[in-house]
Amino acid sequence: MLFRSEITPGAGINILYGENAQGKTNVLEALSLLATTRSLRASRESELIFQGKETALVNAEVEREMRGEVELEVSVFQTDKKSVSVNGGKRARVVDILGQFNAVFFGSIDLSIVTGEPADRRHYLNVEISQISPRYVYDLGHYKRVLAHRNRLLKELRDRPRPPQDLGLDIWNEQLITHGAPLIEKRLFYLSRLAPLAAKVHRELTEGRESLEIRYLPSLRLPEPPKAQDSAP
């Protein structure tokens, strides 16, 4: 038996409402898969597959103001592997679908952006910026791999002390800078654009009684962020 649901949103704001366990969150999960290739809540994407089935599939025809219509499809398998296609053509990499459809989700779990650890805020930035910058996705993936390798070497150095140069640590430090610097640069630029918009909305919501300031404060000293009118790096 095939479980299938089709939704055609209307113009303007769409509100989903109904009883519990009717599939409202499933719609949000589907949108998240199309925009980010990730689930909103599940630790493994295979948890989105209906019990007893082998795959889950999300397909959407998206009308975009700037780039016209596009058809997107994401398939999730029990092995947690995914495949994506754009306009009927299968893409070699899952990340190739990023930027085709942009979405921002905010719910109670996202309060950790304010109340949680710095890692929660970095995760939020990573998800949002990845949708608009393929280069950011590339650098982020390489940065994580380099960081994991470097941390293993540091652990090895702690357990079996010897000259750092024997581990090639300098090479991994250079790679960390190569892929980490563009991440910081893009985050600065993104927040320089987001900050005035968020401040404006916050003033409207509080009728001018409160002001909101958003700043990026990494652990190292940086030059002034680019102005909002500057072009993207």
Side-chain angles (χ1 to χ4, degrees):
M1 181 178 179
L2 177 65
F3 294 86
R4 181 185 181 95
S5 179
E6 293 188 11
I7 297 176
T8 303
I13 298 175
N14 289 259
I15 299 176
L16 302 178
Y17 66 95
E19 299 293 334
N20 291 338
Q22 298 301 303
K24 299 186 298 297
T25 303
N26 289 349
V27 176
L28 300 181
E29 289 280 16
L31 294 175
S32 177
L33 275 176
L34 290 170
T36 70
T37 76
R38 297 293 183 88
S39 165
L40 287 173
R41 302 182 301 175
S43 57
R44 298 174 55 189
E45 274 73 33
S46 58
E47 296 175 14
L48 304 177
I49 301 174
F50 195 87
Q51 187 173 2
K53 300 300 178 180
E54 294 297 321
T55 62
L57 182 146
V58 179
N59 178 283
E61 296 178 1
V62 183
E63 295 184 8
R64 304 175 298 185
E65 292 183 359
M66 302 298 293
R67 293 185 289 168
E69 297 183 3
V70 64
E71 183 177 353
L72 307 175
E73 184 175 288
V74 178
S75 299
V76 181
F77 305 95
Q78 287 288 1
T79 58
D80 284 319
K81 290 187 176 181
K82 289 168 285 191
S83 67
V84 303
S85 66
V86 178
N87 289 329
K90 186 175 180 179
R91 297 300 179 93
R93 304 181 306 165
V94 172
V95 295
D96 288 342
I97 202 174
L98 295 176
Q100 298 289 345
F101 166 61
N102 297 329
V104 177
F105 173 83
F106 184 80
S108 57
I109 59 176
D110 292 300
L111 291 177
S112 60
I113 297 172
V114 178
T115 62
E117 300 296 323
D120 297 319
R121 290 182 277 279
R122 287 195 297 270
H123 175 72
Y124 176 82
L125 288 176
N126 290 341
V127 171
E128 305 309 327
I129 300 175
S130 291
Q131 295 185 61
I132 58 176
S133 174
R135 179 69 192 187
Y136 188 88
V137 178
Y138 172 85
D139 283 317
L140 181 61
H142 280 72
Y143 179 84
K144 288 182 176 180
R145 285 191 289 272
V146 170
L147 183 62
H149 198 114
R150 178 179 177 273
N151 287 344
R152 284 197 297 270
L153 289 180
L154 289 174
K155 183 176 183 298
E156 184 178 340
L157 185 62
R158 182 194 63 190
D159 296 338
R160 292 187 298 169
R162 60 185 189 274
Q165 58 269 24
D166 291 350
L167 293 173
L169 199 58
D170 289 343
I171 296 176
W172 293 109
N173 286 337
E174 292 176 4
Q175 288 293 309
L176 206 63
I177 295 171
T178 297
H179 296 292
L183 299 181
I184 294 175
E185 183 181 14
K186 183 63 78 172
R187 288 170 183 170
L188 278 168
F189 179 81
Y190 179 85
L191 288 175
S192 74
R193 292 294 186 93
L194 177 64
L197 298 175
K200 179 178 181 295
V201 171
H202 188 84
R203 283 195 302 271
E204 292 173 354
L205 291 174
T206 61
E207 297 181 343
R209 293 189 298 270
E210 298 178 3
S211 61
L212 173 68
E213 182 182 4
I214 299 176
R215 291 185 295 161
Y216 181 45
L217 299 176
S219 58
L220 65 162
R221 186 174 180 179
L222 297 175
E224 289 296 319
K227 301 298 182 181
Q229 65 268 23
D230 293 344
S231 59

